[in-house]
Amino acid sequence: TSILEAIVGCNLIRVKVNPELALVAVIDTGDTTCRVTFGHNNASDFQDRSANKVHRIKERQKREGYVINQCYSTVRKIKQLIFTAQQRCRDVKVQRTTFAKLRNLIKSEDEAAAIVNCGGIGTLSNAMIIHSEKPLVLAEAVATLAELAWADSSLCSKTVKAGCISIVLAAMERHYAHATLQQMAIGFFRSLSYDGKCCRSMNEFNTVAAVILSMYKNPKRVEIIREGSSYLQ
């Protein structure tokens, strides 16, 4: 009896073949092992070793594969969300929900980098310009920009180059009584304050005065006072 056995991924495949006598072929390339065996004893012996290899592959996939697949899945979600936000840039509800979902995907610098590479900063700043009269959209966009900066400080300069500081300041001035927007805006400035170049840029726009004014106009809003105090420190 001649049997062709192969492990592809975690699948064990066995196929009867009729090779020339005394033919033995072994191919081992990491995840794929292929061998032609003769007789039931050889096949049984190889099957035992194949089962061990399947087990090792499964264990490795548990350690590495799932993380890689999850990463690819997250990147696909990010691309889809940004594409949706760009295609339906005039839809207020879509902008709010999309930015919230995008922000929730940021768990590390990898997701933050994926958002930036997919044009996320431009999408967020463009939404703030289009929906300058919609404080909830502004708040979601600003909060997402802040989350990007917290996840990866090297991205701070990119938000500054995109003109986000002036856009956020304009939103604060226009909606000075909207507590959520004011809090998110101050949080955004605080996320930039740990980068020296960004601090110099914020000084040029006098963001300290804007934060103090926000605290002055919202004296009963504890969250604004707390965020502003943290920024000024």
Side-chain angles (χ1 to χ4, degrees), residues 67-80:
V67 176
I68 294 173
N69 291 336
Q70 188 180 42
C71 179
Y72 288 149
S73 176
T74 301
V75 172
R76 286 197 297 269
K77 289 179 182 177
I78 288 172
K79 289 181 178 179
Q80 183 59 48

Side-chain angles (χ1 to χ4, degrees), residues 22 37 42 123 149 204-205:
T37 62
N42 287 337
T123 302
E204 294 176 3
F205 286 96

Side-chain angles (χ1 to χ4, degrees), residues 43-55:
S44 176
D45 176 64
F46 184 69
Q47 185 175 5
D48 292 338
R49 287 183 284 114
S50 298
N52 291 332
K53 189 167 185 65
V54 170
H55 177 72

Side-chain angles (χ1 to χ4, degrees), residues 68-175:
I68 294 173
N69 291 336
Q70 188 180 42
C71 179
Y72 288 149
S73 176
T74 301
V75 172
R76 286 197 297 269
K77 289 179 182 177
I78 288 172
K79 289 181 178 179
Q80 183 59 48
L81 287 170
I82 292 177
F83 178 78
T84 300
Q86 293 172 344
Q87 292 297 307
R88 303 181 63 180
C89 60
R90 299 285 177 180
D91 192 315
V92 174
K93 184 177 180 180
V94 168
Q95 297 294 294
R96 286 177 54 192
T97 56
T98 300
F99 295 155
K101 290 178 180 179
L102 201 60
R103 186 170 64 257
N104 290 333
L105 289 175
I106 303 174
K107 306 297 181 183
S108 68
E109 60 184 17
D110 293 331
E111 292 83 11
I115 290 173
V116 173
N117 292 336
C118 291
I121 292 179
T123 302
L124 292 164
S125 60
N126 186 55
M128 289 192 290
I129 294 173
I130 294 175
H131 301 284
S132 60
E133 299 298 329
K134 303 295 181 180
L136 290 177
V137 175
L138 294 169
E140 291 290 353
V142 174
T144 305
L145 286 172
E147 198 65 33
L148 289 173
W150 287 121
D152 187 350
S153 59
S154 66
L155 301 178
C156 294
S157 59
K158 294 186 178 182
T159 62
V160 173
K161 290 179 180 179
C164 293
I165 292 178
S166 60
I167 296 173
V168 173
L169 284 173
M172 290 180 71
E173 183 178 357
R174 183 176 292 108
H175 305 283

